[in-house]
Amino acid sequence: MNDADFARRYYAAWNARDLDAILALYSDEIEFSSPYIAALGFAGDGVILGKPMLRAYFEKALERAPDLKFMPESLCVGARGHTLIYRNHRGERAAEAHELDGLGLVIRADATYETV
């Protein structure tokens, strides 16, 4: 798995608002966490399990932010995956850590946001 190639596909999919391309990056058994999951009423603990629930969450996120764009800042590579660091359309810094399976799909993701 080429992490830089993954990052390019990730940003291209999100910036094109292509939900199918976004979801193609994730395993069917995805475990995805974000503080926005609870804020949008999906799961009180901030964790989504499985691609159907992830699709619903991403659909809502895209709907709520019609001008959503991610501007890459950094790519950090680890033993089991990588972390993408970027700024969103509001200039806020975010990081999404991805653990990848043997096929190069995200099996576990943790989205975090800078607080100032």
Side-chain angles (χ1 to χ4, degrees):
M1 161 44 79
N2 181 314
D3 296 288
D5 180 56
F6 182 98
R8 278 189 293 279
R9 290 185 299 124
Y10 176 91
Y11 292 118
W14 275 104
N15 289 338
R17 304 176 60 80
D18 184 340
L19 184 58
D20 289 330
I22 295 166
L23 290 169
L25 301 169
Y26 296 87
S27 164
D28 289 342
E29 293 80 35
I30 182 66
E31 178 183 310
F32 187 94
S33 67
S34 167
Y36 290 113
I37 290 169
L40 293 177
F42 281 89
D45 64 355
V47 179
I48 282 175
L49 300 174
K51 201 180 265 189
M53 196 172 184
L54 186 66
R55 172 181 284 279
Y57 171 66
F58 284 167
E59 281 175 343
K60 185 158 206 154
L62 289 168
E63 179 183 297
R64 289 176 51 92
D67 55 345
L68 183 76
K69 290 286 182 203
F70 294 160
M71 285 97 21
E73 286 196 349
S74 187
L75 168 64
C76 301
V77 178
R80 295 185 187 167
H82 55 250
T83 300
L84 305 176
I85 302 169
Y86 57 89
R87 293 214 181 249
N88 65 22
H89 57 292
R90 293 185 301 267
E92 300 162 334
R93 182 176 289 140
E96 192 171 313
H98 295 148
E99 183 178 332
L100 305 175
D101 66 11
L103 299 173
L105 297 174
V106 180
I107 189 73
R108 189 166 295 110
D110 186 31
T112 59
Y113 305 89
E114 184 175 65
T115 59
V116 192

